[in-house]
Amino acid sequence: MIKDMKDIVSLCKRRGFIFPASDIYGGINGFWDYGPLGTELKNNIRDLWWKAMVLTPPVGPDGQPVQIVGLDSAIIQNPKCWEASGHIGGFNDPMVDCKETKKRYRADHLVAYVISHYMDDDQPELKLIPVFEQNTPEEEILKKFKKLGLGASTENYKVIPFMDIENYHYTNPDNDHGMLHLEEGKSILRLRKDKLVGPDVKIPDTLTEPKQFNLMFHTFVGANATEDDKAYLRPETCAGIFLNFKNIIDTARVKVPFGIAQIGKAFRNEVTPRNFIFRSREFEQMELEWFCEKEDAPQWFEFWVDQRKKWWESIGMDLSKFHFLDVEKADLAHYSDRTIDFEYQFPFAYPDYDELEGIAHRGNFDLTQHQEFSGQKLEYMDPSDNTKRYLPDVIEPSCGLTRAVLGVLSEAYTVDESRPSGVYLNFHPSVAPKKAAILPLTAKEEHVPIATKLYMDLREEFAIDLDVKQNIGKRYARQDEIGTPYCFTVDNQTLEDQTVTVRDRNTMTQERVNMDQVASYLRENLKPAKVMAKKEG
Ligand code: ATP
């Protein structure tokens, strides 16, 4: 069954996972708040990544665990950092790319020629709309008109700013006998954007949406808000890692190959934030920079691709819904030899895929840039060979944490009309905000104290919910919707034989276990191997 984003967004709000930021003020586009359960979910994914990278890093090709250390660098750094990284590069304006010619235009310098009135049986929506740079000479415009079969004059055309195309439509005033007029505002017919023909091509639909190239939010540091005090919120977490490369090799007793990992907030003033938390303006990233010798980089690249696949699987993601895009040479960043994007079949993209994580071989571009811009030597000296100094190559697995939250929610969302909630979240137990719920069958005196004691005994070891109020059916429904794998219920029989029922979220089957066995039951059933075995059969 195709999952609907709308339903996922609505469950997230209804159950307290994710709310629009500033909800009571009508929200603010591109920003989200994580509610009680969303925070737990996000923290679990974050901690599992940190564990897999820093606390128990994977075993390398030599049979020993690889070496990775953690970092938590500032969100605001010296603005020179962003000059070196290429983030302050003069592109402060919305730009449009031509997919055919690879040319880039300033969106606010483009104009579109749209036929200004039409008989409605002429199907104006099917006509091409030529786009020109402002001040293109008339004879060139006419030449292009001829090539596109649009006639020998521009007389019947209205020239509109490219950035305003969205606002223009055809309208049909009643008194005009089927004549359509191009107007701003109310419409009977939209302009078809796939009919736009870029300045340097003859075919339609090669222009991208306008995109802001300097995506960084800026602020001012200190009391004098002059240009010299301008600073930026980081657009990615990795820069802090490169800035601390020397501090870490000098202090952390690491030897190449090794990694530095960081998780934290990043900010991008995205032109079109969309698809719930997928593309937001404030988000979180989990990034590893893996430093190695140039000749070993291709093997380490494969190593990390493999490790990251295993990690996604370990948190319950179905790899058959992934697409591993080996980015074509022509589309790679100039410093990258190879990049593989892990794309996931998000419901909004279905049946296509969209990026969840990127793994890039970045060469030694970043260290080279920061060495040049800072004037500090950042070279690594091989301790076994004092004459060998170099800037190591970098393999970077870079993953959106908040995007991972959306991936995990999308994967878990399961429609099941046979149960009262109609839907449940099939979370892998490792990410589930609550591993179990303890429910007294009734709010009666006898059940509640036993349930409370069981809860107090378990809560040190497991993230657990004690839910007393409402009828039991409603409480099961709630636990299903928040993805709690097990519910333990204290009932009348508990008073007689000290057993409780345990209800499995996915199968809804119940069995009885002894109360003093609940902890070991959970320990056993939450083990990754057990979860995998259950999933497979
Ligand atoms: P895109 O092309 O989608 O803008 P990107 O290729 O620029 O993204 P990177 O700079 O490689 O993305 O960022 C690494 C990861 O950070 C992405 O794979 C994604 O998971 C996450 N990410 C990037 N931008 C956003 C955003 N606006 N909101 C949420 N996550 C993001």
Side-chain angles (χ1 to χ4, degrees):
M1 176 180 274
I2 302 165
K3 302 176 187 182
D4 193 330
M5 276 305 286
K6 202 164 76 275
D7 298 335
I8 296 176
V9 175
S10 136
L11 183 141
C12 282
K13 175 142 197 203
R14 187 166 76 244
R15 290 301 185 189
F17 282 92
I18 299 164
F19 309 117
S22 308
D23 210 3
I24 61 167
Y25 289 106
I28 167 165
N29 197 9
F31 297 88
W32 300 91
D33 290 340
Y34 288 73
L37 294 168
T39 307
E40 300 291 340
L41 174 64
K42 177 154 68 67
N43 289 352
N44 288 344
I45 299 172
R46 177 198 69 189
D47 294 348
L48 288 160
W49 187 92
W50 194 256
K51 180 164 189 302
M53 290 298 187
V54 181
L55 303 181
T56 56
V59 172
D62 64 356
Q64 298 299 315
V66 300
Q67 209 181 6
I68 301 179
V69 293
L71 177 75
D72 188 1
S73 69
I75 284 172
I76 293 179
Q77 300 283 355
N78 188 311
K80 273 199 176 159
C81 160
W82 309 115
E83 279 172 41
S85 68
H87 284 93
I88 306 180
F91 290 126
N92 278 303
D93 308 296
M95 307 296 283
V96 171
D97 285 333
C98 177
K99 289 181 259 183
E100 184 75 14
T101 62
K102 309 280 178 234
K103 277 202 176 185
R104 179 169 283 171
Y105 311 95
R106 268 190 61 175
D108 54 343
H109 286 180
L110 293 178
V111 290
Y113 278 61
V114 191
I115 192 104
S116 58
H117 44 269
Y118 247 113
M119 291 305 288
D120 64 1
D121 50 3
D122 282 348
Q123 298 182 312
E125 77 275 21
L126 300 181
K127 288 273 173 183
L128 297 176
I129 306 174
V131 173
F132 298 96
E133 291 189 86
Q134 264 168 0
N135 307 325
T136 303
E138 182 75 10
E139 65 265 25
E140 269 188 46
I141 292 173
L142 289 175
K143 239 197 262 170
K144 179 90 170 245
F145 262 62
K146 208 165 151 202
K147 267 191 206 147
L148 298 176
L150 295 174
S153 134
T154 57
E155 207 177 312
N156 285 332
Y157 285 77
K158 197 164 186 162
V159 185
I160 61 178
F162 182 83
M163 296 281 278
D164 290 353
I165 284 175
E166 211 75 74
N167 306 334
Y168 280 86
H169 311 274
Y170 285 101
T171 60
N172 185 2
D174 295 338
N175 59 2
D176 234 347
H177 311 293
M179 184 71 91
L180 294 180
H181 295 264
L182 186 68
E183 309 255 344
E184 243 180 302
K186 291 185 268 6
S187 74
I188 62 161
L189 200 62
R190 292 184 150 276
L191 291 187
R192 289 218 3 211
K193 288 171 115 187
D194 60 349
K195 294 289 163 192
L196 292 167
V197 182
D200 300 288
V201 288
K202 288 181 225 132
I203 49 166
D205 206 17
T206 66
L207 296 178
T208 63
E209 292 277 323
K211 197 172 165 188
Q212 202 88 25
F213 274 78
N214 190 344
L215 289 171
M216 287 193 295
F217 284 100
H218 68 252
T219 184
F220 296 98
V221 173
N224 304 329
T226 72
E227 263 316 281
D228 291 344
D229 306 312
K230 205 164 171 185
Y232 300 88
L233 305 192
R234 67 181 174 200
E236 55 189 27
T237 54
C238 62
I241 295 181
F242 297 117
L243 268 49
N244 282 285
F245 176 73
K246 191 160 172 19
N247 284 336
I248 288 176
I249 49 176
D250 287 349
T251 57
R253 309 181 63 206
V254 285
K255 277 197 338 208
V256 167
F258 74 97
I260 306 176
Q262 167 153 242
I263 300 176
K265 292 255 183 185
F267 302 82
R268 294 184 194 176
N269 195 4
E270 298 279 3
V271 178
T272 42
R274 65 194 146 85
N275 295 323
F276 194 27
I277 56 173
F278 177 82
R279 183 177 303 290
S280 35
R281 289 179 165 144
E282 174 175 344
F283 55 101
E284 282 175 73
Q285 287 185 317
M286 311 189 281
E287 296 195 293
L288 169 72
E289 305 305 314
W290 177 256
F291 299 96
C292 61
E293 295 204 43
K294 187 167 224 43
E295 59 267 30
D296 300 336
Q299 288 91 302
W300 283 117
F301 186 90
E302 297 297 339
F303 176 82
W304 283 112
V305 168
D306 189 44
Q307 289 301 324
R308 296 303 301 143
K309 285 184 185 171
K310 288 189 180 138
W311 183 81
W312 284 110
E313 218 173 10
S314 78
I315 66 163
M317 297 298 281
D318 178 355
L319 290 190
S320 74
K321 294 187 203 131
F322 277 61
H323 175 241
F324 301 98
L325 175 75
D326 212 327
V327 179
E328 282 190 31
K329 280 265 179 293
D331 298 332
L332 288 175
H334 63 91
Y335 48 76
S336 178
D337 286 348
R338 197 170 172 206
T339 295
I340 289 192
D341 286 342
F342 282 28
E343 299 181 320
Y344 175 69
Q345 207 168 46
F346 287 99
F348 63 78
Y350 185 89
D352 281 331
Y353 305 80
D354 220 326
E355 179 177 330
L356 192 51
E357 166 161 11
I359 302 184
H361 176 197
R362 298 177 63 93
N364 60 13
F365 169 77
D366 306 87
L367 289 176
T368 305
Q369 290 294 104
H370 290 301
Q371 176 164 278
E372 186 186 326
F373 278 73
S374 68
Q376 303 277 329
K377 280 253 166 287
L378 299 182
E379 286 168 335
Y380 172 76
M381 192 183 72
D382 193 322
S384 59
D385 174 359
N386 283 347
T387 58
K388 194 171 168 194
R389 287 169 178 273
Y390 62 100
L391 294 176
D393 264 30
V394 166
I395 309 295
E396 177 194 73
S398 166
C399 173
L401 169 55
T402 42
R403 232 178 238 189
V405 170
L406 183 59
V408 165
L409 278 165
S410 307
E411 180 79 32
Y413 189 90
T414 311
V415 174
D416 175 6
E417 266 138 29
S418 75
R419 62 179 76 207
S421 54
V423 61
Y424 67 105
L425 291 181
N426 180 13
F427 282 139
H428 187 280
S430 62
V431 296
K434 303 289 175 195
K435 312 303 175 199
I438 311 295
L439 314 173
L441 181 62
T442 67
K444 272 200 266 176
E445 295 239 319
E446 299 91 328
H447 298 161
V448 177
I450 301 175
T452 307
K453 175 164 187 315
L454 186 56
Y455 164 74
M456 293 305 285
D457 289 348
L458 293 168
R459 65 171 198 164
E460 289 287 339
E461 190 176 346
F462 306 100
I464 231 161
D465 214 10
L466 173 68
D467 193 357
V468 178
K469 296 246 166 64
Q470 283 189 324
N471 78 45
I472 191 74
K474 282 207 172 129
R475 281 180 285 158
Y476 282 147
R478 171 172 188 273
Q479 296 299 337
D480 281 352
E481 278 204 326
I482 70 172
T484 308
Y486 299 103
C487 288
F488 296 94
T489 302
V490 172
D491 56 14
N492 286 338
Q493 197 177 321
T494 313
L495 309 176
E496 287 158 24
D497 64 4
Q498 282 76 51
T499 62
V500 292
T501 63
V502 47
R503 174 184 180 275
D504 180 295
R505 174 195 64 204
N506 290 15
T507 61
M508 292 187 283
T509 53
Q510 300 199 16
E511 54 180 320
R512 295 199 80 88
V513 294
N514 216 296
M515 256 204 309
D516 57 17
Q517 298 295 307
V518 170
S520 55
Y521 182 96
L522 276 177
R523 250 172 250 136
E524 182 59 23
N525 282 281
L526 298 177
K527 272 191 192 150
K530 182 87 179 193
V531 175
M532 279 312 246
K534 249 180 141 175
K535 201 172 154 192
E536 275 152 22

